[in-house]
Amino acid sequence: MKIGPYTLTSRFLLAPMAGVTDAPFRRLCREFGAGLTTSEMTTADISLWQTEKSRRRLDIDGDLEPRAVQIAGSEPEQMALAARLCVERGAQIVDINMGCPAKKVCRKLAGSALMQDEALVQKILAAVVAAVDIPVTLKMRTGWDPDHRNGPEIAKIAEGEGIQALAVHGRTRACRYKGDAEYETIARIKNSLSIPVIANGDITTLEKSLEVLRLTEADALMVGRGAQGRPWFFRELIHFHETGKKIAPLELEKVRDIMLGHLNGLYRFYGETTGVRVARKHLSWYCAELTDSASFRSKVVRVDSASEQLTLTRDYFARQRERASLAA
Ligand SMILES: Cc1cc2nc3c(=O)[nH]c(=O)nc-3n(C[C@H](O)[C@H](O)[C@H](O)COP(=O)(O)O)c2cc1C
């Protein structure tokens, strides 16, 4: 699949997730074959860019190309300026967030709340596309609420304004993350556009990925929560769709090395104190994938130093190896 001049290395993309898809996690997902990763959303209000949080969110120096940054806001000129500054910082794709139901964004009528004002959507898209000479993409939901699934209308507006790819999460804003994602509206959108359409929502298994592609005929799939604690899901998806077969699970030693590398990446990126804190949620997600991990999990999310997190992680895997060799 292509976005503007960029041919993506795979059609399995990582969804932007604030608080999750930071630089270390993006790097890891790309290593496992994610065709594109996007920064966590950054406010278009550049007066807030001096904060540590925004500075980190805009850190795309280590990303593989194409480097995509997501911005969220509701004022066309502000969004245009933010997009220009993202380009100055090395962005090669600017993604506009109209998918996030988070309160903080929506109180300012941004994220998916914007979908209720189609005229404003048009102004924002036009302003951003005119402001930069890199591809602008849009991420949205299927509509404002189940009675107003205006995703197809917004999609048409987006294509008309020069948006170069569209990611659609199969829920409305009112659904937040409840219920199951639906793919019928995504299929309708795909059917009516010429630009690439990326289907998103609840793709957590290989079987589901096949089903979503069949139902929507989308050009690519975007995975969010399905990659938490298992960045290797992208490798599984690629293998499955290329060969029709499931790839053998990663060896325990490999999983250990991935986790230790991820932890060290977080400590480097955030510094030890914040890094240890951020690592806790990733460790919890990894544990959901690991056998007999309950006691490891309860300890590792409580310690306060990098060395303790690393030691507990190594010890868990050493114990698992011992058990495996006793059982053999
Ligand atoms: C913790 C979290 C943070 C998110 N942050 C963003 C964000 O910054 N920008 C955005 O467009 N969507 C955001 N989303 C929505 C995801 O990109 C995605 O559309 C949604 O999770 C559905 O995909 P999934 O079922 O594969 O997780 C977030 C979702 C989660 C769970």
Side-chain angles (χ1 to χ4, degrees):
M1 165 179 151
K2 280 187 93 170
I3 300 182
Y6 301 108
T7 303
L8 306 188
T9 50
S10 85
R11 57 176 175 159
F12 305 105
L13 323 181
L14 177 66
M17 289 182 286
V20 182
T21 58
D22 53 19
F25 190 66
R26 293 199 299 273
R27 206 169 308 135
L28 200 48
C29 291
R30 284 300 290 262
E31 278 170 26
F32 282 106
L36 183 72
T37 60
T38 305
S39 72
E40 308 161 82
M41 69 174 164
T42 303
T43 170
D45 180 352
I46 63 165
S47 72
L48 301 174
W49 282 14
Q50 299 314 317
T51 65
E52 192 61 15
K53 184 167 141 189
S54 289
R55 195 192 56 71
R56 285 202 195 103
R57 286 191 177 191
L58 287 162
D59 185 344
I60 49 167
D61 290 350
D63 283 11
L64 290 182
E65 297 195 359
R67 293 184 292 271
V69 170
Q70 189 187 64
I71 53 174
S74 54
E75 289 164 30
E77 283 321 308
Q78 191 186 54
M79 292 283 276
L81 175 62
R84 269 197 298 275
L85 294 178
C86 287
V87 176
E88 276 177 23
R89 287 162 184 248
Q92 293 165 313
I93 292 174
V94 171
D95 186 49
I96 298 177
N97 179 331
M98 288 189 196
C100 185
K103 269 198 186 131
K104 252 193 291 184
V105 186
C106 286
R107 226 180 282 143
K108 289 191 199 155
L109 197 72
S112 54
L114 280 174
M115 292 184 72
Q116 65 186 309
D117 189 343
E118 291 176 17
L120 180 57
V121 168
Q122 180 147 26
K123 282 189 195 127
I124 290 174
L125 301 182
V128 176
V129 170
V132 295
D133 52 14
I134 60 169
V136 180
T137 57
L138 174 65
K139 180 160 175 295
M140 65 177 205
R141 291 190 169 223
T142 50
W144 165 244
D145 68 26
D147 296 326
H148 302 93
R149 281 191 215 273
N150 62 340
E153 286 77 35
I154 304 244
K156 274 281 170 207
I157 293 171
E159 185 171 60
E161 292 302 336
I163 291 297
Q164 301 214 21
L166 178 70
V168 188
H169 175 191
R171 286 187 177 84
T172 67
R173 192 249 165 197
C175 301
R176 303 185 72 81
Y177 293 98
K178 290 192 209 94
D180 294 331
E182 57 91 8
Y183 306 105
E184 213 175 288
T185 312
I186 304 180
R188 275 174 53 210
I189 290 172
K190 166 63 197 166
N191 200 25
S192 68
L193 299 192
S194 323
I195 56 171
V197 172
I198 302 152
N200 169 240
D202 296 352
I203 300 164
T204 52
T205 63
L206 299 175
E207 291 75 13
K208 190 70 181 267
S209 71
L210 211 55
E211 187 195 338
V212 176
L213 275 182
R214 183 178 58 77
L215 291 173
T216 63
E217 297 184 359
D219 300 275
L221 299 182
M222 180 177 267
V223 176
R225 290 163 297 172
Q228 290 173 345
R230 47 177 196 152
W232 48 82
F233 188 40
F234 293 101
R235 167 182 176 265
E236 296 175 357
L237 283 164
I238 292 167
H239 185 85
F240 184 66
H241 284 266
E242 274 175 10
T243 66
K245 297 195 177 87
K246 293 190 181 182
I247 199 167
L250 288 171
E251 286 165 12
L252 218 50
E253 277 70 22
K254 181 74 183 147
V255 176
R256 177 198 61 197
D257 294 346
I258 293 162
M259 285 174 66
L260 293 173
H262 190 180
L263 292 177
N264 281 314
L266 292 170
Y267 307 145
R268 271 196 304 276
F269 185 68
Y270 289 102
E272 180 168 350
T273 308
T274 308
V276 165
R277 203 162 39 75
V278 174
R280 288 179 185 146
K281 60 188 157 197
H282 291 281
L283 284 162
S284 280
W285 289 321
Y286 282 118
C287 283
E289 299 295 308
L290 297 168
T291 47
D292 296 326
S293 61
S295 110
F296 161 54
R297 183 192 166 281
S298 77
K299 283 186 209 137
V300 80
V301 299
R302 284 186 174 83
V303 294
D304 292 317
S305 71
S307 65
E308 285 170 296
Q309 276 187 342
L310 291 167
T311 303
L312 284 168
T313 304
R314 281 194 205 96
D315 289 352
Y316 164 79
F317 282 98
R319 268 196 316 279
Q320 290 305 105
R321 188 160 3 124
E322 233 172 72
R323 276 187 201 169
S325 54
L326 282 175

